[in-house]
Amino acid sequence: MDGWTRALRLLPETYRTKLEKQDGSAVEEIRLRSGRAPTLLIAGRELAFSERLCREEDLQLVLEKASGASLHAVADMLKEGYLSVNGVRIGVCGTLLPSDTGGGFRRVSSLCLRIPRECRGIAREILPALRENSRGGTLLLSPPGGGKTTLLRECVRCLSDGGVRISVADERCELSGSDGGEGFDLGCHTDLLLGCGK
């Protein structure tokens, strides 16, 4: 299942049915803001896809679906301002509770669902340098939405399928696109540790 389909499954039915027929290949994010029209981020521009304004109940429904109806189980992630499910990272904004009460959100005002992608072949040019630098480190830098996770995912897959044994510590389950089930292809020689801390 691709990232677009994974993200659509988290949406309220009203928005999901509106987007199911749309080609999601160029969509980077789905943004839901309470009291505003929902938007798609495409090529750096936000475009409204429905005249129906988002309600707080819509945002809560997305979080309930993403957490498997157990917000308590994902409280630590939410305190960090995000929730990750099957590779779809959901940025969460709103009004926080005081930290001395355990933290969390008093009110959620917006959600940003980032669409994960597999882009085979994008690591082709840098793979020789990675192989030569096998004992050193490599740093990937770019602004948000620049494709760091997508590039890293492809590097892991290519190196692993090329015979390199790789262990991935996937703190937010974004790289693998998995929370223990089906995810992205990280190669045949990759071992995966999910949900670990830094």
Side-chain angles (χ1 to χ4, degrees):
M1 176 185 348
D2 68 352
W4 174 246
T5 304
R6 292 176 191 193
L8 290 184
R9 286 185 169 185
L10 298 172
L11 296 178
E13 185 177 353
T14 311
Y15 295 145
R16 186 177 61 250
T17 55
K18 192 127 184 129
L19 293 174
E20 282 176 334
K21 294 176 184 141
Q22 178 164 338
D23 175 15
S25 62
V27 178
E28 301 165 41
E29 297 173 348
I30 301 170
R31 293 189 172 255
L32 306 174
R33 297 178 178 99
S34 183
R36 304 209 181 248
T39 62
L40 301 177
L41 183 67
I42 302 173
R45 294 183 54 216
E46 282 193 54
L47 306 168
F49 66 84
S50 174
E51 293 178 6
R52 182 184 165 277
L53 303 183
C54 289
R55 301 181 304 235
E56 287 186 46
E57 306 88 75
D58 296 325
L59 305 179
Q60 286 300 321
L61 181 65
V62 171
L63 292 177
E64 284 178 25
K65 286 183 176 187
S67 68
S70 179
L71 289 174
H72 178 73
V74 296
D76 288 340
M77 270 194 275
L78 285 174
K79 287 179 192 175
E80 298 292 323
Y82 77 94
L83 180 59
S84 185
V85 59
N86 292 327
V88 177
R89 181 164 179 171
I90 305 169
V92 183
C93 288
T95 306
L96 293 170
L97 291 166
S99 58
D100 61 350
T101 64
F105 283 88
R106 173 179 294 140
R107 179 179 165 269
V108 173
S109 61
S110 67
L111 300 175
C112 172
L113 289 75
R114 184 166 290 171
I115 311 300
R117 297 231 165 11
E118 270 187 317
C119 295
R120 294 192 179 232
I122 63 170
R124 190 174 300 123
E125 291 181 23
I126 65 169
L127 283 174
L130 290 176
R131 286 188 180 104
E132 287 175 22
N133 189 24
S134 64
R135 295 254 185 235
T138 301
L139 182 63
L140 297 177
L141 294 171
S142 85
K148 297 177 294 293
T149 303
T150 305
L151 176 61
L152 180 57
R153 182 182 299 122
E154 180 63 359
C155 288
V156 167
R157 186 190 68 77
C158 289
L159 290 170
S160 176
D161 283 347
V164 177
R165 291 183 311 258
I166 297 177
S167 294
V168 172
D170 195 357
E171 177 188 12
R172 296 176 176 160
C173 304
E174 281 184 275
L175 192 66
S176 63
S178 170
D179 55 2
E182 177 189 345
F184 292 113
D185 180 6
L186 294 181
C188 60
H189 297 290
T190 300
D191 297 301
L192 184 61
L193 176 63
L194 296 172
C196 56
K198 289 188 186 203

